[in-house]
Amino acid sequence: TFLAYSLVIYDWNWTEAERSFKRAIELDPNNAAAHFRYGQVYVAPTRRMDEALTEVSRGLEQEPLDVNMGVSLAWLYLTRGQFDKGLGQAKKTYDLEPTHPLGRWMLSEAYINKGMYVEAIALDERWLQDDPTSQFALRVAGIAYAKAGRRDKAEEMIRRFREIAKTQYVQTSRIASIYVALDEKEKAFEELNKAFELRDWEVHRLNIDTYWYPLRNESRFKEMLVRMNLPQGTN
């Protein structure tokens, strides 16, 4: 399972990754992690959305208190445009452990996709008080501020990313997503190109994460997907 995980994220070797995932499931058909990771890391980015939902749901059925699995189910709903379901699942997962960073991140994502920017900002500001250097928090806060028309605060989140980059690794795709929300496509592509060359771990989800929807018709973006050898699903 985790060999396949690395083959997708760092090698973009989709063929070998799928083979390894299927072998993991063959060896242990009831392994929750194998089904969950297969759906999250391989099937969803290839846009086989119904199958991804089935695999992640199967993992969550076996591990109903797993925050990562609950968050991923909410994420899948959001990527499918099922924002009410996404918000419901995000709240359910958040309530399991309100200080868990993934739970906070996904609830903020759900609020943003629902256009509930006030709620997202309130959640993110509390989060940043607890953890001022959380990259998850800085990203969703920046996006929420941008979409709420608070450009100064969104740009502040970018500056904070630049500052923490002096002492820790920062995925520039996270900065790029704030620039997308600010409708600054050139700056977004500048940061995204850095992420692409460094193979930031979230790059494998370019084809599905809602951050990138405004870039989908850009030839530069389509070229990235081609360079990743990304298989294309139909739903």
Side-chain angles (χ1 to χ4, degrees):
T1 296
F2 283 93
L3 172 60
Y5 192 90
S6 66
L7 285 167
V8 167
I9 293 172
Y10 299 113
D11 293 344
W12 301 339
N13 188 337
W14 302 89
T15 301
E16 288 300 320
E18 184 173 34
R19 184 177 292 119
S20 190
F21 271 127
K22 287 184 174 179
R23 178 58 176 156
I25 292 170
E26 178 186 348
L27 289 169
D28 187 357
N30 295 317
N31 188 295
H35 286 284
F36 159 59
R37 293 294 184 184
Y38 178 49
Q40 177 204 39
V41 175
Y42 181 88
V43 183
T46 62
R47 298 199 65 79
R48 288 151 47 186
M49 304 303 292
D50 293 342
E51 185 182 352
L53 197 63
T54 297
E55 293 293 338
V56 172
S57 296
R58 182 167 179 176
L60 187 59
E61 285 170 6
Q62 296 179 64
E63 299 287 350
L65 301 182
D66 188 299
V67 172
N68 199 349
M69 293 187 194
V71 160
S72 292
L73 181 59
W75 168 71
L76 280 173
Y77 284 136
L78 296 181
T79 63
R80 291 162 63 95
Q82 296 174 292
F83 300 139
D84 289 332
K85 281 189 174 182
L87 179 57
Q89 178 62 37
K91 285 181 175 178
K92 180 180 178 181
T93 306
Y94 173 84
D95 287 342
L96 289 174
E97 190 176 342
T99 60
H100 195 294
L102 291 179
R104 284 170 152 173
W105 163 62
M106 188 46 58
L107 182 54
S108 183
E109 290 280 0
Y111 282 145
I112 290 169
N113 279 276
K114 283 281 291 179
M116 300 168 66
Y117 306 131
V118 171
E119 290 84 352
I121 288 169
L123 173 62
D124 298 337
E125 287 180 342
R126 291 194 303 271
W127 186 2
L128 285 168
Q129 287 178 354
D130 296 338
D131 188 357
T133 62
S134 167
Q135 292 190 39
F136 280 107
L138 289 170
R139 174 175 55 187
V140 286
I143 293 170
Y145 284 131
K147 289 184 175 290
R150 297 173 65 179
R151 172 174 287 270
D152 58 330
K153 293 293 290 183
E155 291 175 342
E156 179 190 328
M157 298 303 108
I158 293 173
R159 288 194 297 272
R160 289 171 69 170
F161 264 119
R162 307 284 190 204
E163 186 62 29
I164 65 173
K166 297 175 183 178
T167 57
Q168 62 179 261
Y169 184 72
V170 166
Q171 293 193 56
T172 58
S173 60
R174 292 171 174 172
I175 299 174
S177 63
I178 300 175
Y179 278 128
V180 172
L182 286 168
D183 197 28
E184 294 196 30
K185 291 184 179 180
E186 290 305 317
K187 290 183 178 179
F189 272 110
E190 182 179 340
E191 300 298 333
L192 198 53
N193 282 329
K194 295 176 190 176
F196 191 86
E197 293 303 321
L198 292 171
R199 302 205 177 198
D200 281 353
W201 83 268
E202 291 180 357
V203 169
H204 78 285
R205 300 193 332 197
L206 281 179
N207 198 31
I208 188 170
D209 271 330
T210 56
Y211 313 127
W212 314 119
Y213 283 12
L215 304 182
R216 290 178 115 178
N217 292 326
E218 297 276 339
S219 59
R220 291 171 289 180
F221 188 78
K222 293 177 181 179
E223 182 183 339
M224 284 182 175
L225 299 182
V226 171
R227 288 170 62 193
M228 288 171 60
N229 302 309
L230 185 65
Q232 296 294 306
T234 58
N235 64 344

